[in-house]
Amino acid sequence: MKWQRLAAVARKETLHVKRDPRALIVGIAIPIMLLVLFGYALSLDVDRVPLVVWDQSQTPASRELISRFEGSRYFALKSYVTGYGAITDNLDKGDAVLALVIPADFTLNLGGPAPAHVQLIADGSDSNTATLAIGYAEAVTQKFSNRILLSEIRRLGRKPPPEPVNLAPRVWYNKDLQSRNFIIPGLIAVIMMIIAALLTSLTVAREWETGTIEPLLTTPLKGAELVLGKLFPYFVIGLFDLAVSVIMGRFLFHVPLRGSVWLLLIQSVIFLVGALCLGMVISIVSKTQLMASQLSFVITFLPAFLLSGFMYDVHNMPVPLQLAAELIPARHFVTLLRELYLKGAGVPILIGRASILLAFSVITLFLAIRLFRKRMA
């Protein structure tokens, strides 16, 4: 392999990228747009759950219970209603997710031998939101119940018993429990996988379509020189996208990077090379740009989005899908980025998945060179 020939191919591909605004749009504008769109629109936090209240008691005790819901950041009181018909209407229209029904005898039963019942009606269409919202409501109600119980004990002149269990929670790594800190690192990995494979998936297919591959085949170029030369400009674009994504994550979304920047760069370079080579393999085996773009979408976007752990916890999937997810490179890169961003992990923790990514890059590079040699022959 001669570096002069490799540099000539890289220069040719760079000139083509400069003259093709579509490649620049795909390589630069789309990652920024996806990061902004997903960064702001996608959230796993369940806050400000819409709530309607039917207060039949209209007493200080019932108003205190309602005020506890209003004072919580997890609920947003939308309106007071006066019947189940209004509750049904609000839930059907999506104006509310929860409805709190306080009966007329609520205050009378507070001091009685039996507990005072309060009804909570939840829209279970979104089971995840409903489950979390019900849990928040139970916590609010439990605190209110404990206050009533302690007040009654003090009224009787007794000393309140100590709590049997005192839970002292301490959150590590993401102490504010912001889902954005969890989403952005995974989003960077998914964007790099999709864009890198999409950029290089059109290179060789475009040469075959336009007929410019024949002059290349008549030159003394070797397969490795042509593949590496074509990868070079897209590798630079990928590094630029990585830098933009990291800067946006830090200063736009305020996601802390607790790990080493150099480790982040090394892992990203390894993954980027593999993703670019995967796109090159797709381009070599495809006969048209349309087929190449469709294959790259199916092979990169769907697995990276569904099986990488970016959106859905892999451990909650069936065992066959968990095993399949381990074959997805984005799965390991998403985990590596989150370990670096949130935990500040070092080499001993990252080395296992980093080795898998390195193997992925070496295999795809070997396949790209081998397949291109066969096509040239």
Side-chain angles (χ1 to χ4, degrees):
M1 184 173 64
K2 291 188 177 181
W3 294 104
Q4 294 86 346
R5 294 198 294 248
L6 191 151
V9 176
R11 181 175 182 276
K12 170 188 173 297
E13 196 68 24
T14 301
L15 290 174
H16 178 79
V17 171
K18 289 181 179 179
R19 293 169 183 170
D20 186 4
R22 294 173 300 177
L24 291 176
I25 291 175
V26 171
I28 298 176
I30 291 182
I32 296 175
M33 181 187 70
L34 289 176
L35 195 63
V36 172
L37 181 62
F38 280 94
Y40 281 112
L42 186 62
S43 176
L44 303 179
D45 298 327
V46 180
D47 295 333
R48 314 303 298 168
V49 177
L51 172 73
V52 295
V53 175
W54 182 17
D55 184 8
Q56 303 175 57
S57 178
Q58 297 291 330
T59 58
S62 65
R63 287 192 287 270
E64 181 185 350
L65 176 59
I66 296 170
S67 69
R68 288 180 175 267
F69 279 87
E70 286 187 279
S72 170
R73 71 181 181 91
Y74 300 111
F75 300 99
L77 180 59
K78 293 299 181 180
S79 62
Y80 289 90
V81 296
T82 57
Y84 283 108
I87 291 175
T88 302
D89 187 58
N90 277 273
L91 294 180
D92 288 345
K93 291 181 178 179
D95 295 334
V97 174
L98 294 179
L100 181 68
V101 181
I102 303 176
D105 59 355
F106 173 73
T107 301
L108 294 177
N109 292 333
L110 279 179
H117 294 283
V118 175
Q119 185 180 35
L120 185 72
I121 303 174
D123 179 2
S125 302
D126 185 345
S127 58
N128 182 64
T129 300
T131 300
L132 292 176
I134 291 173
Y136 297 151
E138 289 176 344
V140 171
T141 306
Q142 185 62 45
K143 288 184 178 180
F144 175 79
S145 178
N146 290 341
R147 193 201 67 79
I148 296 297
L149 180 61
L150 290 176
S151 298
E152 184 65 18
I153 292 175
R154 291 191 181 98
R155 188 183 66 82
L156 297 175
R158 299 177 182 176
K159 183 179 180 181
E163 295 183 6
V165 178
N166 181 23
L167 179 66
R170 182 179 180 183
V171 180
W172 287 7
Y173 310 129
N174 185 13
K175 63 179 181 179
D176 296 328
L177 296 178
Q178 294 289 330
S179 64
R180 183 176 295 174
N181 295 342
F182 178 79
I183 290 174
I184 295 299
L187 182 59
I188 293 175
V190 172
I191 289 176
M192 287 184 62
M193 181 71 187
I194 297 169
I195 297 302
L198 185 60
L199 283 172
T200 53
S201 65
L202 305 178
T203 54
V204 179
R206 181 178 59 244
E207 299 278 5
W208 286 106
E209 277 192 354
T210 58
T212 56
I213 193 68
E214 284 81 3
L216 288 176
L217 298 181
T218 60
T219 65
L221 282 170
K222 296 182 179 179
E225 295 167 348
L226 188 56
V227 169
L228 294 176
K230 281 184 167 295
L231 288 179
F232 177 77
Y234 304 108
F235 179 76
V236 175
I237 293 176
L239 288 181
F240 177 80
D241 289 339
L242 172 67
V244 171
S245 300
V246 172
I247 292 172
M248 290 179 63
R250 179 64 184 89
F251 297 102
L252 185 62
F253 299 109
H254 306 290
V255 178
L257 174 57
R258 305 189 185 282
S260 169
V261 176
W262 290 108
L263 279 178
L264 172 63
L265 178 61
I266 293 171
Q267 304 298 335
S268 300
V269 166
I270 295 173
F271 177 75
L272 182 59
V273 170
L276 291 172
C277 291
L278 177 61
M280 184 66 72
V281 170
I282 295 172
S283 182
I284 293 171
V285 300
S286 303
K287 295 182 178 180
T288 64
Q289 294 185 69
L290 177 61
M291 181 182 294
S293 61
Q294 291 175 340
L295 276 177
S296 65
F297 180 83
V298 173
I299 294 175
T300 62
F301 177 77
L302 294 180
F305 195 83
L306 298 176
L307 298 178
S308 67
F310 161 62
M311 276 294 299
Y312 312 103
D313 188 359
V314 176
H315 297 96
N316 293 332
M317 299 179 183
V319 174
L321 284 182
Q322 293 185 37
L323 297 176
E326 295 302 319
L327 301 177
I328 307 301
R331 157 72 172 153
H332 303 285
F333 192 48
V334 166
T335 303
L336 284 173
L337 285 185
R338 285 174 175 163
E339 295 283 343
L340 278 169
Y341 264 89
L342 299 178
K343 299 182 180 180
V347 174
I349 296 177
L350 304 178
I351 189 65
R353 294 190 183 274
S355 300
I356 296 175
L357 289 184
L358 182 60
F360 161 68
S361 299
V362 172
I363 291 172
T364 51
L365 178 59
F366 173 78
L367 284 177
I369 295 173
R370 186 69 180 269
L371 291 174
F372 191 78
R373 284 176 179 172
K374 288 186 177 181
R375 292 296 296 266
M376 290 175 67

